[in-house]
Amino acid sequence: MSHGANKAEKIKEISGVNPLRCMKCGKCSATCPAFDEMDIKPHQFVSYVINDDIEALTSSKSLWKCLSCFACIERCPRDVKPGKLIDAARQLVVREKGADYLKADEIPELLDEELPQQLLVSAFRRYRR
Amino acid sequence: MQRIGVFVCHCGSNIAATVDVKKVVEIISKEPGVAHCEDYQYMCSEAGQAKILEAVKEKNLSGIVVCSCSPRMHEGTFRKAAERAGLNPYMVEIANIREHCSWIHKDMEEATEKAVILARAAIAKVNLNAPLFPGESRVTKRALVIGGGIAGIQTALDIADAGYEVDIVEKTPSIGGRMSQLDKTFPTLDCSACILTPKMVEAAAHEKITIYTYSEVDKVSGFVGDFTVDIRKKARSVDMDKCTGCGLCQEKCPSKKTPSEFNRGLNTRSAIYTPFAQAIPNVPVIDRDACIKFKTGKCGLCEKVCQAGAINYDQTDEIVTEKYGAIVVATGFDTIKLDNYDEYAYNQSPDVITSLELERVMNAAGPTKGHLERLSDGKHPEHIVFVQCVGSRCNDNRGKSYCSKICCMYTAKHAMLIRDKYPDVKVTVFYIDVRTPGKNFDEFYRRAVEEYGVNYIKGQVGKVAPQPDGKLLVQASDLLDNKQIKMEADMVVLATAIEPSSSVRKIATMLTASIDTNNFLTESHAKLRPVESPTAGIFLSGVCQGPKDIPETVAQAGAAAVKAIGLLAKDKLLTNPCTAKSDELLCNGCSVCANVCPYGAISYEVIQVNDHGIREERRVARVNNALCQGCGACTVACPSGAMDLQGFSNRQIIAEVDAICR
Ligand SMILES: Cc1cc2nc3c(=O)[nH]c(=O)nc-3n(C[C@H](O)[C@H](O)[C@H](O)COP(=O)(O)OP(=O)(O)OC[C@H]3O[C@@H](n4cnc5c(N)ncnc54)[C@H](O)[C@@H]3O)c2cc1C
Ligand code: SF4
Ligand code: SF4
Ligand code: SF4
Ligand code: SF4
């Protein structure tokens, strides 16, 4: 197994996504609010994983532009969850470098009563530098 | 002990490539009771069957085991061969060494061992087989068709033309089904009503056809050739014989606020109504939930204006009981509800409509008299966006997993018709795939693009947002340009998935006909018996079996008719002799078996018995052979072991298990 394929397996494992379910309809990309900011588009996350092109994915702008809003996950007619793929790719990068933007004990100070938990988790993943 | 002949089939390489047939023959030849054993390439062929005949004669065989494919394929073939050889056909057993063995194993040694074991089990069973004789049951020469859409109408016409009586039961006030709601039809663009109405008239005028509209099937009993059905004729409140169809009552009725079912709720109708102008019969019904007379006791206007004196508020539902030899289901379809698809704003904006609603908008008799206009403000649209696959091909829990099959073609039709009539209107279609297999279908779609300038974009719509100025903002993907696009539209048309009529579950339960996870009726064999239900005497016509367009529906309707005619042409049917039988000496009359029998085949009677010199009366179970389907439920339920299935007796099954475990 190539290095890339290994990473693709890892992404599938972390995300629990089976990219082969995708029928290439493009509804995810039609829904995504961050589409214009992205270089690799949500429907392409799926094909990049299928084609083992993980380097391109992990070095993409999209990795940091995805809002983790999960609109694509909500709307995908095949229940593919493309947002989870990019989320997993992000985790791959975070785990590899092991460099956290935030330290866990810095969090309480920053907390806002109104803050949705989902946002917190997403923030952790995204702003790790 | 029987003298048994065992025949091991190669099925070409289907069996022989995985099972060592020679070795099976070698081992089985030594089994006690086996007087003859051989292998052959195709046992089902003429030559293969001849081998059975020959061996029976030469070796004086009394029982046959064929090690071959599933009994569903060739049990009948081999039973007939045995009969020709002078044996009772029920002295044949099949050991399924193909589906149950060679097809599912890879290792030859293991597969061969299993084939031997399966053969031994069949031998053990044949040893206990006894000749069985089928009974006879009569065939009522009359068919019932449930559903009066194009499928039901065509099936009824074909059966009637062959000379048999047919009744159509249609639940709405008129026959015609969905086709009566369509404007023009692909691929030839002829007007739907123009081609449907003559068929409706022909059915109504046919001396062999009786049409029950505004009626439903209430109860079904009996079995193939001899069904008894209760039909509920709902109270119409209008006398069918007196009404002249003048329509005065509908004009004068003051209760006019009920959403019109026929126009998909896009406008309203009166409480007394015929769904559409060409309705058959052209006799209105009173919707009692909307009628002022029924709600408050006042009004009664229709009765006053009706010159024919046809209004009858006292009518009640009537039950007609009729006997049938065959039943054809033709209950059709509906479009799915879009409540789970908020992103299309279907419930927020009247300018977002389904394709079926568009059919009504385009139709001269529809809510806009055929003018293409926005339903919100009556304005002429500049740009219309079509979305295909709405709710079809969905693996989430919002829609249907299947392709609805007709939407690609009717969307091309709609786009073309609009561009033809209103060349100033821009039309955009969002598609995932355009699927146009069918004669002249792809040419039709290409015409929409090439001649009519319809803009097809590969991608989906993610969001439809109604704007303050009344426009609709459509956000979508264009996968070929890898862009997300936003465009303004005046109308959005959703090619909505279709699903079987909601009443089909109830119908299927009454008929004990099986349905799949999507509620489509299941055919007996996907390829070889596509218009027959697995339940004998029940046939399938139209979209109730799976998505179809009109040409396919009509073809299938004819096929279902032929199958029904084939059944009605018989005077008698042979019944399956593998029915249950209770042993009077063991039965204690507990009623457990009658409670589990799904066919109501078991009753009880009191008999005189002489038990060791003591005369007494006993209540015992009796099985009606004509009703028993041989399901075996009672034999398992019986606590005293009195109930046994002929041909599958408890002893035979235990013997098979013993042989397998040996
Ligand atoms: C928007 C749209 C456009 C279309 N355009 C085209 C086209 O251009 N060309 C084409 O070839 N096809 C077209 N079709 C497909 C076409 O409508 C169907 O192929 C056809 O109507 C199927 O006929 P059917 O008789 O099987 O079902 P239906 O037309 O649905 O008829 C079923 C009948 O059974 C009745 N029924 C249901 N349940 C019961 C019950 N329990 N008891 C009694 N009666 C019952 C119903 O009331 C109905 O009258 C279109 C479909 C749609 C949705
Ligand atoms: S919405 Fe789902 S099925 Fe469609 S392209 Fe995106 S991931 Fe694939
Ligand atoms: S989760 Fe990310 S990719 Fe998916 S719609 Fe939201 S921003 Fe776009
Ligand atoms: S009695 Fe009922 S149906 Fe007749 S006119 Fe009045 S409301 Fe209409
Ligand atoms: S075998 Fe089935 S159908 Fe026959 S009597 Fe028993 S329960 Fe009824």
Side-chain angles (χ1 to χ4, degrees), chain A residues 6-129:
Chain A
N6 224 332
K7 279 194 175 171
E9 289 310 317
K10 196 88 207 158
I11 286 184
K12 284 187 238 172
E13 189 193 313
I14 297 172
S15 62
V17 168
N18 174 6
L20 296 180
R21 289 175 66 122
C22 172
M23 64 169 161
K24 306 185 198 298
C25 70
K27 184 134 179 173
C28 45
S29 285
T31 309
C32 177
F35 183 95
D36 287 340
E37 317 268 311
M38 293 183 173
D39 45 2
I40 296 176
K41 311 300 189 186
H43 68 280
Q44 294 175 298
F45 301 166
V46 183
S47 44
Y48 274 68
V49 173
I50 291 177
N51 298 328
D52 289 343
D53 202 354
I54 308 301
E55 291 303 332
L57 210 54
T58 48
S59 56
S60 71
K61 262 174 36 186
S62 305
L63 205 65
W64 314 110
K65 292 300 176 187
C66 165
L67 303 167
S68 292
C69 70
F70 292 175
C72 56
I73 293 175
E74 185 80 10
R75 298 291 188 231
C76 170
R78 306 292 304 175
D79 203 16
V80 176
K81 307 190 172 77
K84 285 207 170 177
L85 285 178
I86 198 77
D87 208 20
R90 212 181 284 136
Q91 286 194 43
L92 219 59
V93 173
V94 177
R95 285 184 192 178
E96 243 170 38
K97 297 195 176 160
D100 294 332
Y101 178 71
L102 282 176
K103 296 244 176 326
D105 34 359
E106 290 171 25
I107 307 292
E109 258 177 60
L110 300 168
L111 280 188
D112 179 338
E113 285 276 289
E114 307 283 312
L115 205 64
Q117 287 194 9
Q118 174 67 55
L119 201 72
L120 207 65
V121 176
S122 299
F124 250 119
R125 286 179 185 154
R126 209 150 348 102
Y127 302 111
R128 96 275 176 253
R129 261 182 285 231

Side-chain angles (χ1 to χ4, degrees), chain B residues 245-266:
Chain B
C246 71
L248 207 58
C249 51
Q250 308 185 44
E251 233 170 76
K252 295 287 189 255
C253 173
S255 164
K256 288 202 160 42
K257 292 263 165 62
T258 310
S260 153
E261 294 85 356
F262 187 74
N263 283 323
R264 304 297 290 181
L266 298 181

Side-chain angles (χ1 to χ4, degrees), chain B residues 465-535:
Chain B
Q467 303 294 295
D469 65 354
K471 293 262 183 191
L472 299 163
L473 185 68
V474 176
Q475 178 180 310
S477 57
D478 178 336
L479 293 185
L480 297 183
D481 287 355
N482 211 10
K483 275 198 286 211
Q484 192 180 71
I485 41 185
K486 292 195 175 69
M487 46 170 70
E488 278 197 336
D490 298 288
M491 291 171 79
V492 171
V493 183
L494 308 174
T496 309
I498 61 172
E499 64 182 349
S501 158
S502 57
S503 60
V504 75
R505 278 187 154 269
K506 202 176 128 206
I507 297 283
T509 309
M510 278 193 274
L511 299 173
T512 63
S514 44
I515 46 179
D516 65 19
T517 49
N518 294 313
N519 285 352
F520 286 112
L521 283 146
T522 319
E523 55 281 4
S524 183
H525 188 288
K527 282 152 265 177
L528 302 178
R529 302 184 70 194
V531 299
E532 294 120 299
S533 158
T535 306

Side-chain angles (χ1 to χ4, degrees), chain B residues 377-494:
Chain B
D377 54 13
K379 279 202 194 125
H380 181 64
E382 288 165 26
H383 181 205
I384 302 186
V385 166
F386 285 85
V387 190
Q388 293 195 177
C389 296
V390 173
S392 297
R393 310 170 64 189
C394 287
N395 238 350
D396 52 10
N397 42 31
R398 300 199 292 168
K400 303 292 176 184
S401 61
Y402 49 85
C403 165
S404 294
K405 198 169 183 182
I406 51 180
C407 331
C408 286
M409 282 298 285
Y410 70 57
T411 297
K413 167 184 83 173
H414 291 153
M416 212 184 303
L417 288 172
I418 290 172
R419 292 284 297 155
D420 186 50
K421 205 163 158 196
Y422 310 95
D424 61 310
V425 179
K426 220 178 99 193
V427 175
T428 307
V429 176
F430 285 95
Y431 70 96
I432 306 174
D433 303 285
V434 179
R435 297 175 160 172
T436 50
K439 196 162 143 188
N440 296 326
F441 280 18
D442 206 63
E443 293 89 328
F444 183 85
Y445 148 61
R446 290 312 304 168
R447 251 167 65 208
V449 177
E450 293 167 30
E451 284 175 37
Y452 290 89
V454 178
N455 185 17
Y456 270 78
I457 299 179
K458 158 95 186 146
Q460 274 293 288
V461 168
K463 197 157 74 182
V464 176
Q467 303 294 295
D469 65 354
K471 293 262 183 191
L472 299 163
L473 185 68
V474 176
Q475 178 180 310
S477 57
D478 178 336
L479 293 185
L480 297 183
D481 287 355
N482 211 10
K483 275 198 286 211
Q484 192 180 71
I485 41 185
K486 292 195 175 69
M487 46 170 70
E488 278 197 336
D490 298 288
M491 291 171 79
V492 171
V493 183
L494 308 174

Side-chain angles (χ1 to χ4, degrees), chain B residues 253-255 271-272 286 291-293 299-302 313:
Chain B
C253 173
S255 164
I272 184 165
I286 295 183
C291 169
I292 301 165
K293 170 88 176 172
C299 189
L301 252 176
C302 51
Y313 302 118

